[in-house]
Amino acid sequence: MALTLGIIGFPKSGKTTIFNTLTRGHAETSAYGASSTPNIGMVKVPDKRLDVLTEMFLPKKTTPATVEYIDVAGMSKGAAKTGALPGLNDIQKVQALVHVVRVFDDPNLPHPEGSIDAVRDIQTMDLELTFSDLGIIEKRLLRLEDSIKKTRGPEREAYELEREVMGRLNEALTAEIPIRDLELSEEELKVIRGYQFLTLKPLLTILNLGEERVGEAEKLLAVARAAAGKHKNTAVEALRGKIEMEISQLEEADAQEFMAELGIKESGLSKIIHVSYELLGLMSFLTAGADEVRAWTIRRGTPAVQAAGEIHSDIERGFIRGEIVSYDDLVKVGTIPEAKKHGMYRSEGKTYLMQDGDIVNFLFNLNKK
Ligand SMILES: Nc1nc2c(ncn2[C@@H]2O[C@H](COP(=O)(O)OP(=O)(O)O)[C@@H](O)[C@H]2O)c(=O)[nH]1
Ligand SMILES: [Mg+2]
């Protein structure tokens, strides 16, 4: 599945710096103006298992899973109340939001609000997202009244259901509760899916630390987590934007050395991708052979037949079974024949729930009806 994350934040918080970190890109960061066209970049999901399998299978090519990031224009406080949020169309399309919060201080680069205050910025952004959703809901509710008057039968019932759901969202948002905090049924989610509400999207908050605050990271994280992390489907992480961007642009060996010197265990790129996966309930399964070693992204709890469809709809349609060995088992014994000998190579049916790191060969028959 194609995964797209949107980077949002107030101006000069380091969004483009973090976008560059993630994409190893060179988009223009700026102390002054900001461009209004979004930066878009693809990132290969770091996965050591692919390296190990590549050594084992010596395939013609190795294909990691990818994630797309969009760096949208900076938000300004109050924007959602007076009109649409800047970049709204872009951020409506993404599956999760990454909010970059400025914690680094730089006297030459004043914060638009005049001071550095992560909790204030987290709360202000929450409000902007809330107002954006509320604006859409209020307009829709007005039109629904009209539609309900004009229709009857099943059509009217559908509108009435939507009015009921929208009413609940309206109430929650008015009380500053994001939509992702509500218990919504599959049916209710389906009713509202098309609106792409921002407060329904998982939210990863990143504290962009300056060098001078690194020692305080844990304390800052605790405070920010108390402010942002009380909601469902949220996570808060910290990283040093400027340094991470420099690291991301080094050769692998140099990057490792530099990170060791700075005491950074996991690169910002890898950390953010992994937390995003966690937040979105995603995992990877793997395919491995002489042609290609590849990682595929699916939701946790996806049945084998649906996972097969991720590779090709024909494989889903003609699904017979999956032959599966877990990555850990395969690494223990070294080869597929050995795994077979040890009874680690399993045959699984349609409803088998895929596990992270399953290495699978799907058998399918295209003549099957
Ligand atoms: N000192 C310091 N400056 C940073 C850091 N991250 C970004 N900056 C600077 O802040 C300015 C704005 O950064 P940019 O990424 O363009 O912010 P954006 O407006 O949110 O996209 C640039 O001059 C960056 O070099 C950081 O971690 N530390
Ligand atoms: Mg920018």
Side-chain angles (χ1 to χ4, degrees):
M1 68 190 264
L3 178 60
T4 309
L5 305 186
I7 300 176
I8 58 172
F10 295 106
K12 310 280 170 279
S13 52
K15 295 181 298 299
T16 303
T17 301
I18 287 187
F19 171 81
N20 283 342
T21 302
L22 292 167
T23 58
R24 299 184 197 273
H26 294 86
E28 192 182 353
T29 60
S30 153
Y32 307 102
S35 88
S36 53
T37 46
N39 298 307
I40 299 178
M42 293 293 278
V43 182
K44 294 178 178 144
V45 176
D47 189 339
K48 293 209 171 67
R49 299 173 299 192
L50 287 182
D51 304 335
V52 174
L53 292 178
T54 297
E55 298 236 316
M56 203 183 278
F57 288 85
L58 303 171
K60 292 199 194 95
K61 65 173 175 180
T62 301
T63 312
T66 53
V67 177
E68 184 181 62
Y69 285 94
I70 304 187
D71 168 27
V72 295
M75 304 230 178
S76 49
K77 189 179 166 191
K81 265 203 161 160
T82 49
L85 280 184
L88 181 64
N89 279 335
D90 292 313
I91 56 178
Q92 277 181 328
K93 283 182 273 187
V94 305
Q95 280 122 314
L97 300 173
V98 178
H99 177 200
V100 175
V101 178
R102 174 161 164 190
V103 182
F104 74 86
D105 205 354
D106 182 345
N108 297 320
L109 198 74
H111 187 292
E113 295 296 312
S115 63
I116 304 292
D117 182 342
V119 171
R120 175 202 59 208
D121 289 352
I122 287 169
Q123 288 167 345
T124 309
M125 181 59 77
D126 280 348
L127 277 182
E128 287 303 312
L129 302 179
T130 300
F131 285 138
S132 173
D133 286 350
L134 264 179
I136 291 168
I137 290 172
E138 279 163 7
K139 275 197 209 112
R140 182 63 190 155
L141 277 170
L142 283 178
R143 299 194 59 159
L144 276 169
E145 289 306 327
D146 229 31
S147 307
I148 288 168
K149 274 191 216 126
K150 285 187 196 139
T151 49
R152 47 184 71 236
E155 202 181 342
R156 179 173 182 151
E157 278 166 32
Y159 285 132
E160 281 171 342
L161 171 67
E162 188 182 337
R163 177 175 63 181
E164 194 266 314
V165 180
M166 289 291 198
R168 272 173 61 203
L169 303 191
N170 196 19
E171 222 172 277
L173 289 166
T174 307
E176 294 179 20
I177 296 167
I179 299 173
R180 74 179 91 80
D181 269 12
L182 303 179
E183 298 284 343
L184 295 169
S185 67
E186 276 303 316
E187 194 194 8
E188 290 167 332
L189 282 171
K190 216 166 122 194
V191 171
I192 64 170
R193 191 159 294 149
Y195 297 100
Q196 302 284 18
F197 290 123
L198 303 181
T199 68
L200 180 57
K201 297 181 192 292
L203 176 65
L204 167 59
T205 301
I206 295 182
L207 305 181
N208 185 13
L209 298 182
E211 286 314 292
E212 70 288 352
R213 309 289 298 268
V214 168
E216 293 167 71
E218 286 309 316
K219 199 181 81 195
L220 290 163
L221 270 173
V223 173
R225 283 186 175 136
K230 59 178 188 259
H231 299 298
K232 269 202 278 182
N233 285 336
T234 56
V236 186
E237 292 294 336
L239 54 84
R240 313 180 215 179
K242 212 168 180 179
I243 294 268
E244 289 281 358
M245 179 171 123
E246 287 164 17
I247 293 173
S248 76
Q249 287 163 356
L250 294 174
E251 293 295 329
E252 183 64 25
D254 296 339
Q256 291 299 338
E257 197 178 315
F258 195 31
M259 279 164 59
E261 254 168 52
L262 291 166
I264 298 177
K265 285 195 202 74
E266 189 183 13
S267 73
L269 186 156
S270 158
K271 187 150 100 182
I272 292 176
I273 291 184
H274 289 139
V275 175
S276 307
Y277 259 53
E278 200 64 33
L279 198 56
L280 288 160
L282 300 174
M283 53 165 250
S284 300
F285 74 89
L286 310 159
T287 50
D291 277 333
E292 187 181 32
V293 162
R294 182 161 179 170
W296 305 83
T297 304
I298 51 173
R299 284 190 193 287
R300 284 177 200 284
T302 298
V305 63
Q306 227 175 299
E310 192 60 39
I311 300 177
H312 200 288
S313 56
D314 283 349
I315 310 182
E316 178 168 4
R317 216 170 324 123
F319 186 96
I320 301 170
R321 64 175 190 274
E323 292 179 332
I324 298 180
V325 56
S326 79
Y327 170 82
D328 291 338
D329 280 348
L330 181 62
V331 166
K332 251 179 245 157
V333 296
T335 65
I336 297 270
E338 278 298 309
K340 281 184 181 162
K341 233 192 274 169
H342 286 82
M344 293 166 166
Y345 202 69
R346 294 167 280 129
S347 190
E348 303 282 3
K350 277 187 178 179
T351 57
Y352 166 75
L353 299 183
M354 299 295 290
Q355 302 296 308
D356 190 50
D358 275 348
I359 300 168
V360 55
N361 177 31
F362 288 118
L363 302 182
F364 62 105
N365 174 3
L366 281 180
N367 299 321
K368 215 170 119 180
K369 273 195 292 196

